[in-house]
Amino acid sequence: MAKYVYDFTEGNKDLKDLLGGKGANLAEMTNLGLPVPPGFTITSEACRHYLAEGAVPDGLEREVAEHLGAMEKRMGKTLGQADDPLLVSVRSGAKFSMPGMMETVLNIGLNDESVHGLAKQAGGNDRFAWDSYRRLIQMFGKTVLGIDGELFEHALESLKGHRQDTDLGAAELQGLVETFKGIVRDQTGKDFPADPREQMRLAVMAVFDSWNAPRAILYRRQERIPADLGTAVNIVAMVFGNVGNDSGTGVAFTRDPGSGQQGIYGDYLQNAQGEDVVAGIRNTIPLQELERLDKSSYDELLRIMETLENHYRDLCDIEFTIERGKLWMLQTRVGKRTAAAAFCIATQLVDQGLITLDEAVTRVTGDQLAQLMFPRFDSGAEKKKIAKGMNASPGAAVGKAVFSSARAVELAGQGEDVILVRRETNPDDLSGMIAARGILTSRGGKTSHAAVVARGMGKTCVCGAEELEVSIGERRFTAPGDIVVNEGDLISIDGTTGEIFLGEVPVVDSAVVEYFEGGEPGDDLVRAVDRIMRRADEVRRLGVRANADTPEDAARARRFGGEGIGLCRTEHMFLGERRQLVEDLVLASGDEERQAALDALEPLQKADFVGIFQAMEGQPVTVRLIDPPLHEFLPDLTDLSVKVATGDATDKDRKLLGAVKRLHEQNPMLGLRGVRLGLVIPGLFAMQVRAIAQAAKEVPGAKPEIMIPLVAAVQELEAVREEAAGILADLGVEALIGTMIETPRAALTAGQVAEAAQFFSFGTNDLTQMTWGFSRDDVEAAFFSRYLELGMFGVSPFETLDRDGVGRLVTIAVEEGRAARPDLKLGICGEHGGDPDSVHFCHQAGLDYVSCSPFRIPVARLEAGRAAFAECDSDTR
Ligand code: ADP
Ligand code: MG
Ligand code: MG
């Protein structure tokens, strides 16, 4: 038969699924012999049953009655007994901590009779008894009966006036109880339930129901906690911190959750109960001062904290209460901490012999490492916030506002820090983005051009700040409240929060990045990062490469521990002054003119590749042949039309307008791009392959790999592969030839495709786009926030690889590709390559490497190391 109730002596810390975190850890502490009040836990299974069926499961009430009976026997008093009442708390507690989301009711068992019994047992302490009673009605009214908590707060406030709650006397509190009872009667039409067992029964169901309260649902979505877990309920004998000044309640950490330093961190409040400490109703005192107030409780508390750290082998946070000099433990759990503390604590625990270095690797996350890599604003600094946009690429940037790429380059050249402000960016802004400290746009979402490029460069970016009116022509923007920022005015943007500030906010640099850039591990934090990264590198099976298109990026990628380039895009090599040549190519009226345009491009391309091969010093470089539609390199249709209409146009402009119109596509992402370009425009791919081969000949040890984008059928690949192989053979250069797998058809026919490919690289951006049928440039800003709200997915599939759909295509392609060609090399080069959860997926899918932007390389290295330990496969948060 199902068992729905566990006494604290029956549970343990590994039963969180069933007993919730609070219940499991209360049981663990009980079994460690720590002073925990007696109690028992109703399982989350009972809650799931209640939520599904609308009624508690058969047998639950009997089981609860039995456990309560046992508790009453042990305590020698019954729940709510008139002359000596046993009181209990009814506390929620789910598997994952959801701070403040769910409910707890204290002092259950009090009524008009037992309140006198409680006073008598406390040596005639009427004040304490009435204080407890008013708390019960207040919490019960709000939580169980659904009354607006403000009503009780107001009544309390107006009684208190300027005094503190401890200044209220017994008579006043007794009056308050009457007022509260009146509120209950007014609001519900019924009296406050006097029957203790009924109080308890209703409170248990209210805790069950709180699982589906709107704020709990919202919180779970944000934190990606599954919606169907349910919560356990803990029934705990009350102990009292509000009996007088020899009593109190507090919270503590076993070490500093901010820095990881060992020491005593906590707050204590005398003569108080429950939430009073955190609610800030009175000023708490630092835990150290408890030593002066109650030395023996203090010493015992420190001993217990040490016991808990050694037992959990981690930082713990605790909640405790002292009742007339006797210490009681009411909660513990492995505590949350900052990113810096996570690294420091993990290595300290290794030094203390509590955990192994391997465990230390599993105790930190890639997200935490990423946080440590961004410069940040000095938290103590004064700032004037003027607007907020999307936190597109983290970091803190300060500079003069500029409104064009050219101006950004110009001022940066004079040594100025600038922030490039645009409505939105396009590929032509690249030089300005490189020159700027940060990028701010008023339009576009987290996958807009600005956001993607900025993240790739590790550059701070706030995008889609819609409150801003950006006028490029007037070189200024306005913000709400008549704020005007002109070119040259200083602004500060926080890519971690999306905030925009007027003026200069002081920035602190990341010591961790300095270390990755080749600095010595100086302070404790950097030493901790260094140790953990070394171990992660030793154990990881996945290789880590970089997406890098320039020698500078390539060099940074190597410094950050990259083992090659997994994606070198070539399209930026057609921008800037070279647009001219692309225009010639598009306008070419015959083979000769086209070849002339290509011949002009070839030496430029070659020089680009030489630079990258040199920077990589013999590591493999996967070069992707040109991918985007050609019209992206031509002038804008509207601009051209205006020019032609106003008569300012040259002959070439008029021809270009014709070409732009001809090349216009309804769905460019599904149009003439990738391998299709190579097949339709003779000589284009051949020119690129020749440039790669010539460059490789010039740089000793260069290891080029040629990658064909957007292949859907093996026939496409065969055609361009044959030509490329011929060129390589002619020039006597060896290079792998492979393909991206980024169309669903390529994935589904991977066995065929592998016959013509020496490697696959999963282009998961396009693969996600085409698998979901999402036009990436449109959907994110248009409706992804709504989709997230509706719970259609917990996280954008462009951020974290969708294992069920896109992941399945990857798995099929891996299996069939390897079956056809056992030595097939497999990698991934979408943005997912630097996403923790996606890295774990790649490890499980058996890929050889992930490729990501240079700044994400350390994150990918760490997560690849963590993935090698099976136990943290699913937990990358
Ligand atoms: P939360 O999950 O929000 O932390 P808790 O169930 O821990 O809620 O309850 C909040 C506080 O109420 C506890 O920190 C503790 O101070 C107090 N409390 C809960 N149960 C008892 C009890 N049996 N005796 C005394 N205080 C209690
Ligand atoms: Mg608590
Ligand atoms: Mg692609």
Side-chain angles (χ1 to χ4, degrees), residues 694-763:
Q694 303 277 18
K697 279 182 91 147
E698 222 163 86
V699 182
K703 262 206 208 92
E705 302 177 344
I706 295 171
M707 180 156 78
I708 319 296
L710 216 77
V711 165
V714 68
Q715 293 85 341
E716 296 172 309
L717 183 59
E718 276 167 351
V720 297
R721 181 196 148 75
E722 199 168 329
E723 187 183 24
I727 295 168
L728 292 173
D730 284 350
L731 291 170
V733 170
E734 288 203 22
L736 297 183
I737 300 179
T739 182
M740 297 194 68
I741 299 289
E742 53 184 341
T743 66
R745 193 181 188 284
L748 293 169
T749 59
Q752 297 168 17
V753 176
E755 302 282 346
Q758 290 169 297
F759 64 88
F760 284 175
S761 178
F762 292 94

Side-chain angles (χ1 to χ4, degrees), residues 415-436:
E416 303 264 20
D417 289 338
V418 299
I419 307 280
L420 179 65
V421 185
R422 305 282 290 163
R423 278 211 195 97
E424 52 207 331
T425 61
N426 61 49
D428 263 342
D429 287 319
L430 203 64
S431 57
M433 295 174 77
I434 292 168

Side-chain angles (χ1 to χ4, degrees), residues 34-78:
L34 302 184
V36 176
F40 53 87
T41 306
I42 302 172
T43 65
S44 59
E45 194 187 346
C47 174
R48 287 195 291 274
H49 183 288
Y50 169 84
L51 292 175
E53 311 289 330
V56 299
D58 285 346
L60 177 64
E61 300 208 6
R62 187 186 41 78
E63 266 189 83
V64 169
E66 277 169 19
H67 279 83
L68 180 63
M71 190 157 118
E72 288 173 326
K73 203 154 158 219
R74 189 167 148 198
M75 311 279 293
K77 47 188 168 182
T78 63

Side-chain angles (χ1 to χ4, degrees), residues 22 37 87-93 98-106 236-241 249-251 273-275 319-321 330-331 333:
K22 201 179 286 169
L87 304 185
V88 297
S89 61
V90 173
R91 313 168 66 186
S92 62
M98 299 169 53
M101 285 303 122
M102 286 160 46
E103 309 295 0
T104 287
V105 184
L106 305 181
V236 189
M238 283 301 299
V239 292
F240 301 98
T249 182
V251 295
Q273 192 176 53
E275 306 283 61
E319 296 175 6
F320 66 92
T321 279
L330 291 171
Q331 188 171 328
R333 73 191 148 203

Side-chain angles (χ1 to χ4, degrees), residues 542-546 827-829 833-834 838-839 842 847-852 860:
L542 274 178
V544 177
R545 294 195 188 184
I828 177 179
C829 63
S838 311
V839 171
C842 292
L847 300 194
D848 297 308
Y849 67 86
V850 296
S851 186
C852 56

